[in-house]
Amino acid sequence: MGKVTGFMEIDRQVAKYQPASDRIRHFREFTIPMSDAEVQKQAARCMDCGIPYCHGPTGCPVHNQIPDWNDLIYNGNWEEAIRNLHSTNNFPEFTGRVCPAPCEEACTLNLEDAPVSIKTVEQAIADKAYEMGYIVPQPATVKTGKKVAVIGSGPAGMAAAQQLARAGHEVHLYERESKAGGLLRYGIPDFKMEKNFIDRRVDQMRGEGVTFHYGVNVGVDKPMDEMFAEHDAVLYCGGSETPRDAGIPGVDFAGVHDAMPYLVQQNRRVGRENVDSVGWPSEPILAGGKHVVVVGGGDTASDCVGTAFRQGAVKVTQLDIRPQPPEKEDKLAVWPFWATKMRTSSSQAEGAVREFQVGTLEFVGDEDGVLTGVKCCQVDDRRKPIAGTEFIIKADLAFIAIGFRGPFTDSVLKDLGDKLAINTDKRGSSNVIANDRDYKTSVDKLWTAGDVRRGQSLVVWAIREGRQAARAIDEALMGTTTLPR
């Protein structure tokens, strides 16, 4: 470890934000980076834990060796720190920005509400590594002669493609959109992660031999039979993009939208791309001068809130059917697991009105079919409406952000037809069946990983699954593998 008494001598600090009044005027990142010296002080707070839960199964899905690189940063060895971090995580600049940091929840110091600033340190390591020129292509020295296709360039597909290329395979990455990144690029707003970080990784991967094919909707533009004929293995990382059916009357009113088309549109505007896109509506969705209601309490809903404020919304109300959580959790009951407690995202802190334990009964509109309000009510502990508590919130624009039930079914899955077993759980998902050991589907030569397999989840889980699937494919093709699991 670094400084033995650091956790007692140094207070927890995290990177600060620009004031809300300033940051809602632009779509750029608004986190104010710490100096190298400040980052080293925070790394020095890492304790010599007997069992470091931060990188165990309750902490980090990719098992980042957090105490190790905290020690390296405390001692000023940034180059070895990024090497260590890359040994478990292909894209720490992504996770350092958008991961909710379950590692910090699992930190021993979180028992005192002062966990090590792991996420801040991780982002600093990645950014410093780029600044110092430590991140360069790492092409394979020996080629295997095997050809692998990866469908989908989200975090799972990118991680898998990079690992497979470094193992010596010829890798072709197919993407429906015009640029790589999946929902990292088109779903997550730029104020949370600017897209030049994705572009830098694409450049690195090209240098490692990955060939990117953009604007190819596999299963539509290119049949799966061709994919199997042209490649020794195919990995499907299509993500989870089909929104859950809210079942709320009035969804056909003008002004009611699913969350993802709204976020995709704005990301395209910021990226100076054409708003028209495969699978997404092209009609402009803008919140300027409007009263906005967001149905849902998760990260996607929060992204809608922040985007609406930046577009000039008059008022944004967020509806969460769950009860308002306690301000502080019972540490001895839940630690080191992720706790249910009151959390306020940066977007919510920009002025959102949050309503808890509220159900959405229907969207209300005028005779012209235009949204005018959202009818709501209070709900009981079983999420059932409480009679007599109905009320209407004025709304010119409403977004439904209650999660996703699986991948789009009109491309790869439709083309495969009955060949591929599909998981249909009680929530109506259409996830592809494969285990988390070999990631093999019921179709010969086809593997799957990421949200398309496990369902809607975190970027860090997608990276883990992509890495593990790459190892499984390498082992299946070569009989052995040196790729880490």
Side-chain angles (χ1 to χ4, degrees):
M1 64 180 296
K3 187 175 177 61
V4 177
T5 56
F7 69 95
M8 294 188 292
E9 299 172 5
I10 302 168
D11 292 333
R12 168 181 162 90
Q13 298 290 333
V14 295
K16 293 180 171 56
Y17 294 158
Q18 293 176 3
S21 58
D22 293 338
R23 66 182 189 245
I24 63 170
R25 299 175 185 275
H26 61 79
F27 280 88
R28 300 184 302 276
E29 289 185 12
F30 51 79
T31 301
I32 303 171
M34 285 184 172
S35 67
D36 292 352
E38 289 173 323
V39 172
Q40 287 178 279
K41 285 177 66 177
Q42 292 306 305
R45 297 185 65 245
C46 190
M47 300 172 67
D48 189 9
C49 295
I51 300 176
Y53 286 94
C54 58
H55 66 77
T58 60
C60 180
V62 294
H63 302 303
N64 281 337
Q65 300 169 102
I66 294 162
D68 294 1
W69 43 257
N70 271 323
D71 176 62
L72 289 165
I73 291 305
Y74 171 68
N75 288 290
N77 194 342
W78 294 84
E79 185 173 8
E80 184 61 30
I82 189 62
R83 188 177 296 116
N84 185 299
L85 186 47
H86 273 152
S87 71
T88 57
N89 184 355
N90 294 65
F91 314 120
E93 68 275 27
F94 300 171
T95 53
R97 286 172 164 80
V98 302
C99 184
C103 52
E104 295 189 16
E105 291 284 304
C107 178
T108 302
L109 284 173
N110 190 39
L111 289 168
E112 297 293 331
D113 290 315
V116 175
S117 306
I118 300 169
K119 180 177 175 178
T120 297
V121 176
E122 179 180 19
Q123 178 182 334
I125 294 172
D127 290 349
K128 182 73 171 180
Y130 271 112
E131 177 188 329
M132 300 299 293
Y134 297 148
I135 300 179
V136 295
Q138 301 175 36
T141 55
V142 178
K143 299 296 184 180
T144 65
K146 300 293 185 180
K147 189 175 180 181
V148 183
V150 179
I151 304 171
S153 68
M158 286 183 68
Q162 185 165 61
Q163 293 295 95
L164 289 164
R166 290 176 176 178
H169 303 302
E170 179 185 341
V171 180
H172 293 263
L173 187 49
Y174 292 86
E175 171 55 49
R176 181 191 66 216
E177 300 289 351
S178 57
K179 293 183 180 180
L183 292 186
L184 269 175
R185 181 181 296 275
Y186 295 107
I188 294 176
D190 279 60
F191 56 80
K192 289 176 68 173
M193 189 184 81
E194 294 179 9
K195 304 312 182 285
N196 61 295
F197 299 108
I198 302 173
D199 297 333
R200 291 195 302 195
R201 285 296 180 181
V202 169
D203 290 341
Q204 181 195 31
M205 291 169 65
R206 282 202 179 103
E208 294 169 348
V210 177
T211 302
F212 288 81
H213 302 268
Y214 296 127
V216 180
N217 191 5
V218 176
V220 177
D221 305 325
K222 188 175 181 66
M224 287 298 295
D225 286 344
E226 282 187 22
M227 297 291 287
F228 293 133
E230 295 172 4
H231 303 89
D232 298 292
V234 178
L235 175 61
Y236 180 33
C237 299
S240 180
E241 299 177 281
T242 302
R244 293 194 180 279
D245 184 5
I248 303 171
V251 292
D252 293 331
F253 283 122
V256 180
H257 304 273
D258 287 315
M260 198 50 61
Y262 176 56
L263 297 175
V264 169
Q265 266 197 18
Q266 185 55 41
N267 281 326
R268 285 183 167 279
R269 288 191 192 95
V270 174
R272 298 183 179 181
E273 293 186 56
N274 192 328
V275 173
D276 293 338
S277 172
V278 176
W280 306 108
S282 58
E283 177 189 353
I285 309 171
L286 297 167
K290 296 179 180 178
H291 289 74
V292 178
V293 172
V294 181
V295 180
D299 289 338
T300 302
S302 185
D303 292 344
C304 288
V305 170
T307 300
F309 278 130
R310 282 160 180 76
Q311 289 184 346
V314 173
K315 181 180 180 180
V316 181
T317 304
Q318 185 177 358
L319 307 180
D320 195 331
I321 199 169
R322 299 169 297 182
Q324 181 167 338
E327 289 293 330
K328 185 177 178 180
E329 75 274 31
D330 181 351
K331 299 289 186 184
L332 297 182
V334 299
W335 181 88
F337 297 95
W338 184 263
T340 298
K341 62 181 177 182
M342 189 66 176
R343 302 173 191 271
T344 302
S345 71
S346 59
S347 293
Q348 291 163 342
E350 290 163 0
V353 177
R354 301 174 70 184
E355 298 281 358
F356 289 96
Q357 210 159 353
V358 167
T360 306
L361 297 176
E362 65 175 309
F363 297 108
V364 181
D366 59 22
E367 61 274 8
D368 296 323
V370 177
L371 178 73
T372 58
V374 180
K375 185 176 181 180
C376 312
C377 70
Q378 295 178 6
V379 297
D380 59 23
D381 292 340
R382 300 182 65 185
R383 300 186 178 183
K384 301 299 182 183
I386 299 174
T389 63
E390 296 84 359
F391 60 98
I392 293 178
I393 300 174
K394 179 181 178 181
D396 308 302
L397 200 57
F399 299 112
I400 303 171
I402 59 172
F404 305 88
R405 61 180 176 85
F408 285 146
T409 57
D410 59 354
S411 53
V412 172
L413 299 185
K414 183 178 180 180
D415 191 30
L416 287 169
D418 297 331
K419 299 178 186 176
L420 191 58
I422 301 299
N423 174 30
T424 53
D425 61 22
K426 63 182 180 181
R427 297 185 69 187
S429 74
S430 55
N431 304 329
V432 178
I433 291 178
N435 63 50
D436 60 358
R437 295 180 300 279
D438 62 15
Y439 292 88
K440 189 79 173 64
T441 71
S442 59
V443 179
D444 187 41
K445 297 174 67 172
L446 181 65
W447 284 257
T448 188
D451 287 3
V452 72
R453 188 199 75 85
R454 69 178 291 115
Q456 175 190 353
S457 190
L458 304 176
V459 169
V460 69
W461 273 109
I463 293 172
R464 170 179 172 154
E465 294 218 348
R467 288 171 61 88
Q468 292 185 333
R471 175 187 168 89
I473 292 171
D474 186 41
E475 188 171 28
L477 294 179
M478 307 304 296
T480 184
T481 181
T482 58
L483 291 177
R485 179 168 168 80

